[in-house]
Amino acid sequence: GAGVSQSPSNKVTEKGKDVELRCDPISGHTALYWYRQSLGQGLEFLIYFQGNSAPDKSGLPSDRFSAERTGGSVSTLTIQRTQQEDSAVYLCASSLSPPRTTKGSYNSPLHFGNGTRLTVT
Amino acid sequence: AQKITQTQPGMFVQEKEAVTLDCTYDTSDPSYGLFWYKQPSSGEMIFLIYQGSYDQQNATEGRYSLNFQKARKSANLVISASQLGDSAMYFCAMRDTGRRALTFGSGTRLQVQP
């Protein structure tokens, strides 16, 4: 089946402009996540959606960053007044709602899209 | 708070040999899951293997196995019979009751030499 789809794959924008990044998760996946990966670095968590609500938005670096999800499906990450330090690859992932096993472990892996490479000039 | 530590920024291994990538974690939650992902130069994140905190046996998936030492809070990835296509970044990650998202380590770059 289709995987996680992100668009655009590349985005170059001028400092101060707003950008919107789109994520289309795997059908049936109720959980959706946004991460950011700077060049050669690990993955930095931004926000987690369960359905249309975001119970964990603790990773958003500033109020310039916001995200929404509609219809329990597509999500949009918006960065306002972009800065050069916002340049990174933005990765979206989806998973089944982490099922709690009888022993309490959460074993739903995240399935990632190919990311959007954002360059702020 | 969750923390994942990968102390090896880079590793080299000869083709057909086994290699161990280290991962230690810190959580006070008795219920957690540990994941390993591979990121080739193309950038995609590929899920490799999962280990639950209550699992009695070490997880295995083909050439990948996880050396889970709960008391030491380590979850090392073992790749047997390395192939040139195994050259990539490898990330260890964890989820516990406190956070549904995965927390990732800084990664280890593995290079397989012919």
Side-chain angles (χ1 to χ4, degrees):
Chain A
V4 177
S5 177
Q6 292 188 247
S7 61
S9 54
N10 280 284
K11 177 72 175 178
V12 180
T13 190
E14 293 180 351
K15 177 182 172 181
K17 299 285 190 183
D18 297 352
V19 294
E20 285 190 352
L21 312 180
R22 176 188 167 103
C23 173
D24 200 342
I26 293 172
S27 178
H29 281 191
T30 57
L32 186 146
Y33 316 78
W34 284 98
Y35 286 84
R36 178 169 72 174
Q37 186 176 28
S38 299
L39 188 62
Q41 303 298 310
L43 277 72
E44 175 189 5
F45 167 73
L46 298 177
I47 189 169
Y48 155 67
F49 285 93
Q50 180 58 45
N52 291 338
S53 63
D56 187 353
K57 53 181 77 173
S58 62
L60 294 177
S62 75
D63 58 9
R64 295 187 295 106
F65 288 73
S66 63
E68 65 174 12
R69 189 179 185 196
T70 56
S73 181
V74 172
S75 176
T76 302
L77 177 69
T78 301
I79 309 173
Q80 295 179 313
R81 305 181 302 282
T82 52
Q83 303 294 313
Q84 288 186 329
E85 60 262 30
D86 299 335
S87 296
V89 176
Y90 289 80
L91 291 164
C92 176
S94 69
S95 73
L96 295 169
S97 179
R100 190 180 183 117
T101 69
T102 56
K103 292 297 184 93
S105 298
Y106 299 92
N107 61 357
S108 290
L110 272 59
H111 300 268
F112 284 85
N114 288 332
T116 293
R117 182 176 299 278
L118 176 65
T119 303
V120 182
T121 61
Chain B
Q2 303 172 346
K3 186 172 182 180
I4 295 284
T5 302
Q6 296 181 254
T7 58
Q8 306 154 312
M11 291 278 287
F12 288 91
V13 65
Q14 291 293 123
E15 196 177 5
K16 301 180 184 178
E17 292 187 349
V19 62
T20 298
L21 306 183
D22 294 342
C23 173
T24 58
Y25 59 91
D26 189 18
T27 178
S28 57
D29 192 339
S31 300
Y32 54 88
L34 296 155
F35 302 76
W36 277 92
Y37 281 82
K38 172 184 178 181
Q39 187 178 44
S41 57
S42 57
E44 61 191 305
M45 291 286 287
I46 302 167
F47 166 65
L48 296 177
I49 195 167
Y50 166 83
Q51 179 85 43
S53 60
Y54 294 105
D55 293 344
Q56 295 297 309
Q57 294 187 322
N58 287 341
T60 61
E61 288 288 346
R63 295 187 297 112
Y64 304 107
S65 61
L66 205 153
N67 183 2
F68 182 45
Q69 298 187 47
K70 195 170 182 177
R72 297 181 60 186
K73 293 190 174 180
S74 74
N76 299 339
L77 177 70
V78 180
I79 305 174
S80 63
S82 296
Q83 302 172 356
L84 295 178
D86 294 334
S87 294
M89 282 288 287
Y90 288 81
F91 291 98
C92 180
M94 180 177 70
R95 170 195 280 142
D96 65 18
T97 313
R99 166 170 274 185
R100 294 293 189 269
L102 297 187
T103 299
F104 285 83
S106 56
T108 295
R109 180 170 298 282
L110 176 67
Q111 295 186 58
V112 181
Q113 297 176 320

